[in-house]
C-alpha cells in the first residue's frame, strides 16, 4: 500500500508540474480584488469575507487545474512535434493520458464543490466557466483570436469572484474582466512568438503567425494600453483613491519593462517577460488595490 501511495502522490506532483500550478498567481490576485470590491460594496463582515475568499481560491485552483490538464491532453500530439514542448509530461510518456483525464475530473469536481459552498448562482454557472476554459484549447486550431479567448478565460475570474461574494452581478466589475482579458492576451502573444516557425509549419493560428512577430509585439502593446484604460475606468467607477492609481502606475512600469525584454530579433528573455514580470503585475496590483479598498 505504501508503494502505491508513493507512486500516486508522485504522479500528482508531476501533474502539478505539468499544469504549471505556480502560474495560478496570474489570475488569482485579480479574482481576489473583485471579491474585495464586492465585500466593500455590500459591507460584508470580515468572517464572511474570509470564508468566501477561501472557497474562491479553491474554486479558482480547481478551474485552472482542470483547464490546464485538459489543454495538455488535447495538445499532446502537437506538443510532441514541437521541439520546445516535446518533453512535456504526456508526449514524453512521463504521465499517462488516463491519469491526466482523472485529474481533470477531480479538479472539475473541486470547482463544483467550491461553487456549491459559495452560493446557488455560482454552482449553476460552474459548468459555464468550465466550458469557457475548455473551449480555449481548441481555438488555436481555427482562429488567430485564441489569445483573446485565453484572456477571457482568465478574465471571468474577477467577475466570478464578485458573484461569489454578492450572489449577483454588477456591470462595473466587467471593467476588471476586460482588463485581465487584454492583459493576458497581450502577454500570451509575446509568449507565442517563440513558437512562430512551428505554428506556421503546422497550420496553427496566432497573432504572430498572421501579422508577423514585430507586428504581433505591437498588438500586444496596444492590448496592454487597453488594459490600463480599463483599470482606470474601474478605479473611477468604484471611486477609489490614490493607492489604486499608484497600483496602476506600478503596472505601467512593469509592462514597460516587460516589453523592453522582448524584441522581434531577440526572444531569449520571453520566459522572464511571461512569468516573472506578469507575476509581479498581478501581485502588486492586488496589494495596492486591497490597501485602497480597506482605506476607504
Amino acid at each position: 500500500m505504501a508503494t502505491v501511495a508513493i507512486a500516486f502522490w508522485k504522479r500528482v506532483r508531476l501533474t502539478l508540474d505539468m499544469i504549471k500550478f505556480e502560474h495560478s498567481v496570474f489570475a488569482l490576485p485579480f479574482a481576489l480584488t473583485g471579491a474585495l470590491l464586492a465585500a466593500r460594496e455590500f459591507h460584508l463582515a470580515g468572517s464572511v469575507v474570509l470564508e468566501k475568499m477561501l472557497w474562491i481560491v479553491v474554486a479558482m485552483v480547481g478551474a485552472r487545474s482542470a483547464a490546464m490538464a485538459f489543454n495538455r491532453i488535447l495538445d499532446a500530439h502537437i506538443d510532441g512535434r514541437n521541439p520546445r514542448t516535446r518533453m512535456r509530461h504526456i508526449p514524453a510518456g512521463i504521465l499517462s493520458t488516463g491519469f491526466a483525464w482523472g485529474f481533470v475530473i477531480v479538479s472539475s469536481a473541486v470547482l463544483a464543490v467550491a461553487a456549491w459552498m459559495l452560493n446557488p448562482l455560482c454552482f449553476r454557472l460552474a459548468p459555464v466557466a468550465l466550458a469557457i476554459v475548455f473551449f480555449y484549447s481548441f481555438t488555436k486550431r481555427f482562429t488567430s483570436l485564441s489569445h483573446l479567448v485565453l484572456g477571457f478565460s482568465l478574465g471571468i475570474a474577477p467577475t466570478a469572484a464578485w458573484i461569489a461574494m454578492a450572489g449577483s452581478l454588477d456591470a462595473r466589475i466587467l471593467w476588471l474582466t476586460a482588463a485581465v482579458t487584454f492583459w493576458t492576451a497581450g502577454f500570451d502573444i509575446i509568449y507565442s512568438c517563440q513558437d512562430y516557425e512551428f505554428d506556421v509549419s503546422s497550420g496553427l493560428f496566432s497573432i504572430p503567425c498572421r501579422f508577423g512577430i514585430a507586428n504581433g509585439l505591437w498588438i500586444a502593446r496596444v492590448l496592454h494600453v487597453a488594459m490600463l484604460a480599463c483599470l482606470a475606468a474601474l478605479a473611477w467607477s468604484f471611486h477609489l483613491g490614490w493607492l489604486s492609481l499608484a497600483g496602476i502606475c506600478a503596472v505601467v512600469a512593469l509592462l514597460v519593462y516587460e516589453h523592453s525584454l522582448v524584441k522581434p530579433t531577440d526572444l531569449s528573455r520571453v520566459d522572464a517577460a511571461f512569468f516573472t514580470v506578469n507575476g509581479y503585475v498581478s501581485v502588486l496590483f492586488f496589494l495596492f488595490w486591497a490597501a485602497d479598498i480597506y482605506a476607504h
Side-chain angles (χ1 to χ4, degrees):
M1 284 294 293
T3 303
V4 173
I6 291 172
F8 173 79
W9 286 112
K10 180 181 179 181
R11 284 195 289 176
V12 170
R13 179 181 58 79
L14 288 170
T15 304
L16 294 178
D17 180 51
M18 175 185 72
I19 66 171
K20 299 298 181 185
F21 183 78
E22 66 275 14
H23 289 188
S24 300
V25 72
F26 287 164
L28 185 57
F30 288 100
L32 297 180
T33 300
L36 290 180
L37 286 169
R40 186 193 74 159
E41 196 74 9
F42 290 90
H43 308 289
L44 299 180
S47 58
V48 173
V49 172
L50 179 59
E51 180 182 355
K52 285 185 174 290
M53 293 275 268
L54 290 173
W55 283 115
I56 288 169
V57 171
V58 173
M60 283 280 300
V61 170
R64 186 192 175 277
S65 298
M68 281 296 299
F70 180 80
N71 178 265
R72 293 295 191 250
I73 294 167
L74 198 67
D75 283 358
H77 68 289
I78 296 175
D79 290 341
R81 292 187 282 110
N82 186 340
R84 186 181 66 83
T85 59
R86 63 167 55 120
M87 292 310 296
R88 282 179 175 171
H89 296 65
I90 295 178
I94 298 171
L95 286 172
S96 69
T97 301
F99 184 82
W101 273 118
F103 188 82
V104 171
I105 293 169
V106 170
S107 298
S108 300
V110 168
L111 167 63
V113 170
W116 174 265
M117 296 299 297
L118 286 164
N119 59 56
L121 182 56
C122 283
F123 184 69
R124 291 197 298 271
L125 290 176
V128 178
L130 281 177
I132 292 170
V133 297
F134 287 166
F135 174 68
Y136 158 70
S137 293
F138 296 96
T139 54
K140 67 181 178 182
R141 291 161 171 81
F142 63 88
T143 177
S144 299
L145 298 179
S146 57
H147 314 283
L148 285 168
V149 178
L150 175 63
F152 185 66
S153 297
L154 273 67
I156 61 175
T159 295
W162 177 285
I163 293 172
M165 279 288 177
S168 61
L169 176 64
D170 187 314
R172 290 176 296 171
I173 199 62
L174 296 179
W175 284 116
L176 189 50
T177 284
V180 175
T181 298
F182 293 138
W183 169 60
T184 304
F187 72 65
D188 189 57
I189 290 172
I190 295 172
Y191 189 74
S192 70
C193 286
Q194 61 190 329
D195 287 331
Y196 171 78
E197 292 182 1
F198 174 78
D199 288 349
V200 169
S201 65
S202 299
L204 298 174
F205 292 79
S206 72
I207 291 293
C209 285
R210 182 168 182 179
F211 299 103
I213 291 177
N215 289 331
L217 292 176
W218 272 108
I219 292 171
R221 295 183 188 111
V222 171
L223 289 170
H224 284 162
V225 170
M227 174 214 187
L228 298 171
C230 290
L231 291 180
L234 179 70
W236 175 81
S237 64
F238 280 100
H239 308 291
L240 297 179
W242 69 269
L243 283 170
S244 69
L245 298 179
I248 294 174
C249 290
V251 172
V252 170
L254 287 167
L255 291 179
V256 169
Y257 176 62
E258 176 179 358
H259 286 279
S260 75
L261 293 176
V262 183
K263 297 176 175 58
T265 56
D266 182 8
L267 302 175
S268 61
R269 293 189 288 179
V270 164
D271 283 343
F274 176 74
F275 179 67
T276 305
V277 176
N278 287 301
Y280 280 117
V281 165
S282 58
V283 172
L284 285 178
F285 172 84
F286 173 72
L287 292 176
F288 274 105
W289 279 55
D292 196 303
I293 290 166
Y294 277 105
H296 288 74

